[in-house]
Amino acid sequence: MSILVLNTLSESNDEVLDLQNQICMQSEGSEVVYTKEMKISHCIGCNYCWLKTPGICTIKDDYEIIFKKILKHGKIVFITDTKFGFVSYQTKNLIDRILPIATMYLHFVDGQMRHVPRYDVRPQMGIIYTGKAEHAYLEKWLDRVTLNFESTSIGVFALEEGRGILSCI
Amino acid sequence: MHLVIINASPRVESKSNTARIISTFVKGFEKSGNTAEIWHLSDKKQWFKAKELYEKNCNILFAIPLYVECVPGIMLEFLETLQPKKEFGTKMSFILQGGFAEASQLRCGEEYLEILPSYFNCEYNGTLIKGDNFAPAWLPDKIANKFVSNYEQMGRIFAVKGTFSKEEVNKFAAPEYFSEKEIRKHKRIGGKIQKLIFRYISRKNGCRKPLDDKPYSVE
């Protein structure tokens, strides 16, 4: 299963570049996308991807490139700055915009309501962050995020301990 | 009390469920002589004023739609424009609303909001959570207003107590989970009715594709 590394950092140092390479070496066909120079809006919450143009985001920007890659790779690793203990808004925008991967239809999974997935893919997700984070909260949040897409978390790692992700993917 | 309310929904005001909730909440809040003003982050021209009012006021309320288990990206971007308060004492309150009906779906977002004020040297002043708020934007005004009418009472209570108490919020946000009986009922009939409603809404909005269409290929 190939890995998509989404690097939203404002600056990538040697440590980041080295870790990215090692992640990509884990699986053939893996790739890194730097989103810093890409034009990616926040989700505007129009719900058109569910109710008007099923599966297609109404915002025409560079996110479509990323969305297609998300469908192609089985695993996604976000490399992100942190703000207020959480991921940066650039990273949150990438995750908010993933909604077309699910349909409007609802069903119950383990006693909670979930959206029925649109595709057969269930991308696993991991986070590597720089700066200070509410680490325990981020782990819990990523568990919940992936639960929504009927997937699982690869884990959350501070950059200094980023090599830990290699044994999880 | 004067309350500065910041609507963190990225959806335009006229279609924002959060905006509708805020207006109803404010009706109740202002009954006892309090005042409130509302600013919308969906309109970037309002960011400067919202920032300025955050700096000058000590009662701030963010009203937020839950986006993938936490606050939407647009709110995080706005927060980057704010500085921590020099003096402690500003109260930061929250209204967090979502589409799924169970309160348990909002708990992860609520947990982050409990942490967030500390990054701005502000005091956490409670979060009013509630789900089942997906429909109003797609309904005629009269029915949509009924959906959110119970927020008026919560506005009244907030005016009197000055905070959201956990006990009252939990009552307001119930059910935490659906019972097994309710889940069985949904599987039997509720899900089918929901599908018909979604299809009706989509057709009305000009959609001719099935809602589970797969426009992109998966390798």
Side-chain angles (χ1 to χ4, degrees), chain B residues 18-219:
Chain B
T18 313
R20 195 182 291 274
I21 286 166
I22 294 169
S23 322
T24 314
F25 178 85
V26 165
K27 260 189 222 163
F29 178 73
E30 289 187 333
K31 283 254 156 74
S32 46
N34 293 291
T35 51
E37 58 187 306
I38 307 158
W39 299 88
H40 303 272
L41 297 187
S42 58
D43 176 6
K44 208 131 191 187
K45 294 191 290 293
Q46 298 190 30
W47 283 33
F48 182 77
K49 192 71 187 168
K51 177 179 183 291
E52 195 179 74
L53 288 162
Y54 155 82
E55 283 159 5
K56 289 181 181 164
N57 286 271
C58 55
N59 282 297
I60 314 292
L61 186 148
F62 281 94
I64 308 158
L66 186 77
Y67 272 41
V68 195
E69 298 292 332
C70 202
V71 305
I74 195 173
M75 175 166 165
L76 294 171
E77 188 178 354
F78 173 73
L79 290 175
E80 285 198 18
T81 70
L82 306 181
Q83 292 297 317
K85 292 276 183 138
K86 282 187 184 127
E87 283 177 34
F88 188 74
T90 295
K91 290 179 178 173
M92 213 181 253
S93 317
F94 303 94
I95 290 175
L96 180 66
Q97 63 93 4
F100 288 130
E102 311 107 303
S104 55
Q105 306 263 14
L106 292 144
R107 296 298 181 192
C108 182
E110 180 189 32
E111 197 175 323
Y112 182 65
L113 297 176
E114 288 167 5
I115 302 166
L116 185 63
S118 65
Y119 285 88
F120 295 92
N121 195 27
C122 291
E123 181 187 340
Y124 175 69
N125 196 40
T127 303
L128 177 61
I129 63 164
K130 189 164 185 0
D132 212 9
N133 280 312
F134 178 82
W138 299 91
L139 297 170
D141 269 357
K142 213 172 163 185
I143 307 172
N145 285 338
K146 272 191 185 165
F147 252 85
V148 301
S149 60
N150 45 5
Y151 278 93
E152 188 174 334
Q153 174 66 6
M154 297 313 283
R156 275 200 205 108
I157 295 172
F158 185 76
V160 173
K161 301 202 170 166
T163 186
F164 294 120
S165 83
K166 274 261 183 196
E167 199 188 338
E168 263 151 0
V169 168
N170 289 346
K171 223 187 287 171
F172 181 69
E176 192 69 27
Y177 290 92
F178 282 116
S179 66
E180 283 183 21
K181 194 179 161 189
E182 285 166 318
I183 293 174
R184 277 200 303 275
K185 201 171 151 193
H186 180 271
K187 281 181 182 164
R188 218 171 44 243
I189 186 156
K192 290 180 186 108
I193 294 170
Q194 244 170 15
K195 273 192 174 181
L196 287 174
I197 294 170
F198 294 149
R199 276 190 206 136
Y200 170 75
I201 293 171
S202 66
R203 290 281 155 99
K204 218 178 143 204
N205 282 280
C207 174
R208 293 290 171 265
K209 295 263 171 83
L211 293 186
D212 55 0
D213 194 33
K214 297 173 181 59
Y216 300 108
S217 60
V218 177
E219 288 171 31

Side-chain angles (χ1 to χ4, degrees), chain A residues 45 47 64 92 134 140 148, chain B residues 11 67 69 111 119 216:
Chain A
N47 293 136
E64 191 180 27
K92 187 61 169 46
E134 301 284 347
K140 191 174 180 177
N148 273 291
Chain B
R11 203 184 276 185
Y67 272 41
E69 298 292 332
E111 197 175 323
Y119 285 88
Y216 300 108

Side-chain angles (χ1 to χ4, degrees), chain A residues 71-139:
Chain A
L71 295 178
K72 186 178 155 195
H73 299 277
K75 295 176 182 183
I76 312 168
V77 175
F78 298 92
I79 303 189
T80 179
D81 291 315
T82 45
K83 285 278 159 67
F84 324 117
F86 194 57
V87 296
S88 67
Y89 76 83
Q90 290 91 342
T91 298
K92 187 61 169 46
N93 285 344
L94 292 183
I95 294 175
D96 288 350
R97 295 276 302 273
I98 211 168
L99 280 202
I101 207 169
T103 70
M104 181 70 247
Y105 294 142
L106 303 167
H107 63 172
F108 279 92
V109 180
D110 297 330
Q112 266 193 334
M113 205 169 255
R114 301 267 164 255
H115 286 281
V116 176
R118 186 177 300 280
Y119 300 95
D120 291 333
V121 288
R122 305 281 187 276
Q124 290 181 283
M125 297 181 195
I127 290 177
I128 293 167
Y129 64 84
T130 64
K132 282 186 183 171
E134 301 284 347
H135 188 95
Y137 178 77
L138 273 186
E139 282 185 331

Side-chain angles (χ1 to χ4, degrees), chain A residues 1-4 29-31 68-76 121 123:
Chain A
M1 210 181 268
S2 57
I3 304 155
L4 172 64
S30 298
E31 62 178 317
K68 285 179 180 172
K69 288 181 188 293
I70 287 171
L71 295 178
K72 186 178 155 195
H73 299 277
K75 295 176 182 183
I76 312 168
V121 288

